[in-house]
Amino acid sequence: MGKILIKQGTLIPMDYKSRSVIQADILIEDTTIVAIDKEVRVSDAKIIDAADMIVIPGFIDTHRHMWQTQIRGIGADWTLGEYLEKMLGVYAPMYRPQDVYIGNLLGALDAVNSGITTVFDWSHIMNTPDHTDEAIRALWESGIRAVFAHGNPGTNVMEWFYESKLSHPEDVRRVRNTHFQSHDQRITMAMAIRGPEYSSLEVTEKDLALARELGLRASMHVGGGTFGPHYQAIKKLKELNLLGPDLNFAHCCTLSDEDFAYIAESGGSVSITPEVEMQMGLGLPATGKALTNGIDPGLGIDVVAGSGGDMFSQMKIALQTERALLNRQLHDKNEMPTILPLTVYDALKMGTIFGAKTLGLEDKIGSLTPGKQADIVLIKGKETSMVPVNNAIGQIVLNAGVQHVDTVLVAGKVLKEKGVLVGFDLDKIKEIALQSRDSLFSRVKALAQV
């Protein structure tokens, strides 16, 4: 790919060192950031003019079900129970391999368009090996960086998600050996397991043993609505000595401080999906509890059939919800806040460097740092809703949106330029997505009439 020089952007490095905003150039060689300085001189590079742009590391979505993209919107008013009943119980069994492919491809491009450069695809639609292979093919073709989390089939929600006695599909071994022989690929692998809230403890033990045998990070849903207090997942995992740094926990809304302390002690990670958690009744986002107990949480989009697909929304919801919780506590005491519990910088960290840490990729992505992968987003600073830029960090979190994403690079490759995705036949992709949507709706309707 050669050299790219991003000139004179307003950089937010997100490198843990300080809450810095600097005016600088970024030099990229092939997939990697090689230099950041006030001025970088090079004669043989493609120039990207970043004047009037805010330059940030790409957003990292740590929990998303990509396969549902072409039926987005249908779960806008669903509870968790309705999601399990309708999405996993009705639609998932109807998916063909080509439906998974277009759902993942359109979902990945939607993510890139909004400035998300890495996604954790929690894929519980492994109905056949062909379904699995098509999901992976779409991620590769999209150009996004992804962790593909191999899950269970979506063939029978009662068998797979209600105190399931079925172990994780053995096809995961083929997938690991065929598609993911290196941890240095742009697309890497994890396992999406049900855990104690959706499968028996015996199944959880077996699934975790399989993940660890294959050297894969394992992710599970915990602390979701009434499932959390009933099953006490973290305490049971602790009692069985199964916690560890290779485990990721999504949601965690109902977990106690003791639960979070166990996760922190073990080195595990937490993914918070604030929009879906509050909509579907999983509970209030556990952002504050995670941070208080020494865990740097990542953020996720989650159910794309029932929520927006951008990180701007998740950062804002997580931030303002935590602030509202403190304000309510103080209001009950007839007090006014003297300091806010979360800052805009905290929110931006959750969308970038904390997300990288959540996925075990902080040595590769999450900050603008020489030696890391060139996953970079340029945000328009001269739009009416952004100008003048007086607080770059605050305005990224509270003012910016998808419409402000000008340029997106993943591994040094430009996937969006001047506000437009490049290298894709978008009209054809949209046409295939519509055909897939129509086919799914038709087959679900026919099933209902039987």
Side-chain angles (χ1 to χ4, degrees):
M1 288 178 285
K3 298 178 183 178
I4 296 175
L5 183 62
I6 300 174
K7 291 288 294 180
Q8 289 305 292
T10 300
L11 275 57
I12 308 176
M14 306 304 301
D15 60 3
Y16 276 121
K17 296 177 182 177
S18 66
R19 179 177 167 160
S20 59
V21 178
I22 60 175
Q23 201 79 19
D25 296 347
I26 303 176
L27 178 61
I28 300 162
E29 290 189 9
D30 295 324
T31 67
T32 308
I33 298 172
V34 296
I36 297 177
D37 210 334
K38 289 183 179 180
E39 185 177 12
V40 177
R41 294 181 180 274
V42 62
S43 59
D44 55 346
K46 169 186 169 72
I47 304 297
I48 297 178
D49 183 5
D52 303 315
M53 300 276 189
I54 304 171
V55 185
I56 61 173
F59 292 124
I60 299 168
D61 179 352
T62 66
H63 188 84
R64 189 180 188 122
H65 305 303
M66 303 279 283
W67 57 272
Q68 303 167 10
T69 308
Q70 71 269 53
I71 52 174
R72 69 171 103 220
I74 67 168
D77 294 321
W78 285 355
T79 63
L80 175 60
E82 288 177 297
Y83 172 79
L84 292 169
E85 175 190 351
K86 297 176 182 178
M87 180 60 74
L88 302 188
V90 176
Y91 281 94
M94 293 294 176
Y95 264 69
R96 304 163 300 176
Q98 59 263 44
D99 298 317
V100 177
Y101 168 80
I102 195 61
N104 266 33
L105 181 59
L106 183 62
L109 294 181
D110 178 35
V112 169
N113 188 58
S114 70
I116 293 170
T117 55
T118 300
V119 65
F120 188 91
D121 180 21
W122 212 101
S123 193
H124 48 347
I125 192 69
M126 308 290 91
N127 299 4
T128 70
D130 286 343
H131 286 70
T132 303
D133 293 344
E134 287 298 275
I136 296 167
R137 180 167 76 93
L139 293 175
W140 275 111
E141 290 182 5
S142 72
I144 201 169
R145 187 181 305 279
V147 179
F148 172 73
H150 183 280
N152 56 275
T155 51
N156 188 315
V157 67
M158 295 303 297
E159 290 183 353
W160 286 102
F161 274 96
Y162 290 94
E163 300 183 353
S164 178
K165 301 297 191 295
L166 300 176
S167 298
H168 198 93
E170 281 291 318
D171 189 54
V172 69
R173 297 181 184 275
R174 176 193 67 86
V175 176
R176 176 74 168 87
N177 293 331
T178 303
H179 296 287
F180 300 102
Q181 297 180 3
S182 170
H183 288 291
D184 292 327
Q185 300 174 173
R186 177 167 53 82
I187 313 296
T188 53
M189 188 179 178
M191 273 177 58
I193 68 172
R194 276 81 40 81
E197 291 187 16
Y198 294 96
S199 65
S200 70
L201 272 177
E202 292 76 16
V203 168
T204 297
E205 285 187 272
K206 186 175 179 180
D207 289 353
L208 284 176
L210 177 57
R212 285 165 173 162
E213 176 191 340
L214 297 176
L216 300 175
R217 182 175 297 261
S219 175
M220 68 189 80
H221 300 87
V222 299
T226 57
F227 289 97
H230 180 73
Y231 290 104
Q232 296 292 305
I234 301 302
K235 288 182 175 62
K236 290 178 180 177
L237 292 172
K238 170 69 174 177
E239 290 168 1
L240 293 170
N241 197 32
L242 293 175
L243 294 173
D246 56 348
L247 299 191
N248 167 255
F249 302 99
H251 305 313
C252 306
C253 303
T254 65
L255 299 189
S256 66
D257 284 331
E258 184 181 38
D259 292 329
F260 277 105
Y262 289 150
I263 296 172
E265 180 184 21
S266 70
S269 65
V270 167
S271 297
I272 293 172
T273 67
E275 185 174 6
V276 165
E277 288 159 5
M278 291 198 290
Q279 172 190 321
M280 289 191 169
L282 278 76
L284 290 170
T287 315
K289 280 187 176 181
L291 290 166
T292 298
N293 286 283
I295 299 170
D296 297 333
L299 297 177
I301 308 300
D302 200 3
V303 179
V304 293
S307 72
D310 67 277
M311 192 56 66
F312 299 102
S313 299
Q314 305 307 323
M315 290 189 298
K316 190 181 301 184
I317 293 171
L319 174 69
Q320 304 297 34
T321 300
E322 197 60 36
R323 288 174 168 179
L325 289 171
L326 173 69
N327 291 338
R328 186 181 69 180
Q329 293 172 5
L330 293 173
H331 178 77
D332 291 343
K333 299 176 183 179
N334 199 30
E335 297 177 8
M336 291 287 286
T338 57
I339 187 171
L340 293 174
L342 285 185
T343 68
V344 289
Y345 191 56
D346 293 324
L348 190 54
K349 284 191 288 187
M350 288 188 282
T352 55
I353 188 63
F354 285 1
K357 186 176 180 181
T358 297
L359 302 184
L361 296 173
E362 66 270 29
D363 61 331
K364 292 183 178 180
I365 57 173
S367 67
L368 302 178
T369 304
K372 285 193 176 184
Q373 289 284 285
D375 293 5
I376 302 172
V377 174
L378 277 63
I379 305 293
K380 301 174 186 176
K382 289 190 73 175
E383 295 293 299
T384 305
S385 53
M386 289 288 285
V387 69
V389 176
N390 303 310
N391 178 350
I393 296 170
Q395 287 173 248
I396 288 290
V397 175
L398 298 178
N399 296 101
V402 176
Q403 70 274 22
H404 298 106
V405 177
D406 180 89
T407 302
V408 178
L409 296 88
V410 176
K413 182 177 181 180
V414 177
L415 300 183
K416 184 177 183 179
E417 190 169 23
K418 297 180 180 178
V420 178
L421 290 170
V422 296
F424 305 98
D425 187 344
L426 295 178
D427 288 338
K428 183 64 175 177
I429 290 169
K430 292 173 186 176
E431 178 185 346
I432 296 171
L434 286 170
Q435 291 171 353
S436 171
R437 185 275 313 267
D438 291 346
S439 176
L440 285 163
F441 283 178
S442 176
R443 284 178 283 127
V444 166
K445 183 178 179 180
L447 177 68
Q449 293 172 347
V450 173

